[in-house]
Amino acid sequence: MATTTYPPPPPYYKLYKDYLQDPKSAPELPPEGTYICYGGNYTTDDILPSLEDQGVRQLYPKGPNLDFKKELRSLNRELQLHILELADILVERPSQYARSVEDISLIFKNLHDLLNSLRPHQARATLIHILELQIQRRKQAVKDIKRRREEAQRLLKDYIGTLEDTGASFVLK
C-alpha cells in the first residue's frame, strides 16, 4: 500500500464552488442516515447497540434499577475466576482452552457494555466539573480585579495626597 505525504483531497471537494461567489454551493451538513468515512459505513444515529443486538448473551440482569457497582464487581470476580481456570486448563489440558477463552471474552463484552452504559453519566459529571472550575476561575478573576481596583484607587489617593502636600493643584473628574 502506497502512502503520500500530501494525499489528494476526497472526490467530494468538487461539490463545492467558490463560497464567496455562491454561499449556497456547499452541500448541506450534517448528513442524515448512513454515510461512508475512511472506507467504513457509519450512521448519524448514535444508538448504543444492546448485547442482544450484537448476538452476545447478557450476564447481568436487565432493568432500569441496575446496581452498576455490584454488577461490575460481580463480573470482575467472575473474570478473575475464569482467568485462573484458564491457567489451570493450559497446564493440565492445553488443547481444551478454547471454551475458557470464549467465556472470558463473553465476560469482557458484558463488562464493556456495562461501562459504556455509564458513559452519559460520566459525560454529565465531567461537564459539571468543568463548569464548576470555570465558575471558580471567574470568581477568582473578579476578586483579583476588585483587589487591583482598590489598590489603584488607594495609590491614586496617596498620589493626590502627595501632590496636595507639595502645593500643586489637581482636579479629579
Side-chain angles (χ1 to χ4, degrees), residues 8-38:
Y12 59 82
Y13 81 94
K14 294 175 185 174
L15 298 173
Y16 294 86
K17 308 277 188 277
D18 186 4
Y19 185 77
L20 296 176
Q21 291 177 1
D22 185 13
K24 295 180 182 176
S25 67
E28 302 227 356
L29 295 175
E32 294 293 325
T34 60
Y35 59 96
I36 297 174
C37 181
Y38 301 113

Side-chain angles (χ1 to χ4, degrees), residues 83-96:
I83 288 175
L84 288 174
E85 192 176 291
L86 175 62
D88 287 342
I89 289 173
L90 287 174
V91 169
E92 295 174 8
R93 308 175 300 276
S95 62
Q96 298 176 358

Side-chain angles (χ1 to χ4, degrees), residues 6 36 39 56-57 84 120 143 158-159 162-163:
Y6 300 105
I36 297 174
V56 177
R57 185 169 50 101
L84 288 174
K143 284 181 185 178
D158 291 346
Y159 183 68
T162 57
L163 283 177

